[in-house]
Amino acid sequence: MAGDNILSAALAYAAGGQPVFPCDPATKRPFAPAWRKSAAIEAEAVKQLWKSQRGAMIGLPTGKPSGSFVIDIDAGIEKETGEVFEADALLSALSEALGEQLPATRTARTPRGGLHLYFRMPDGIEI
């Protein structure tokens, strides 16, 4: 079942030291108002978070709690103009603007076809 796969993935992130929390798949918002405090890395705590939220998406806090930051490449159709934005084209445009390719990193495809690129927080820099 999809819920079991998501729980397994949440447990894998947590086992790797990434705190996790459940998010509403429809809105991408955390289910818990105090999600920063409820994000968990202990297996039993993760199981409890997903017990009443089967099928929830996985949220990962960024910044100091996880030591990471995310570049969010939003794909989709601009409602007012009808312009189509594809993740690969947006990523190429970002690399061109930076003057170099982004380094290989953990990447997740989003439900609308975008990308989340995960990077370690650089030492001594606030993002």
Side-chain angles (χ1 to χ4, degrees):
M1 290 193 301
D4 291 337
N5 290 337
I6 291 177
L7 175 58
S8 293
L11 288 165
Y13 280 118
Q18 294 285 311
V20 294
F21 56 90
C23 292
D24 185 332
T27 65
K28 298 191 252 178
R29 291 194 172 98
F31 280 115
W35 59 270
R36 291 181 207 268
K37 291 181 181 178
S38 67
I41 59 172
E42 299 82 14
E44 286 308 310
V46 172
K47 289 175 186 175
Q48 283 301 311
L49 287 171
W50 262 265
K51 188 175 185 176
S52 62
Q53 306 298 343
R54 293 186 56 78
M57 294 174 62
I58 301 168
L60 301 169
T62 56
K64 289 181 183 179
S66 65
S68 65
F69 71 96
V70 175
I71 296 176
D72 184 0
I73 306 291
D74 278 335
I77 300 172
E78 169 59 43
K79 291 178 185 175
E80 292 190 20
T81 66
E83 187 174 0
V84 177
F85 294 96
E86 294 187 15
D88 292 338
L90 292 169
L91 189 55
S92 292
L94 176 59
S95 293
E96 186 176 317
L98 293 171
E100 62 185 86
Q101 293 291 324
L102 291 170
T105 189
R106 181 174 286 177
T107 303
R109 188 138 319 250
T110 66
R112 294 189 315 161
L115 298 169
H116 287 172
L117 309 172
Y118 293 83
F119 296 94
R120 288 195 187 280
M121 291 282 290
D123 290 333
I125 297 177
E126 280 291 320
I127 296 179

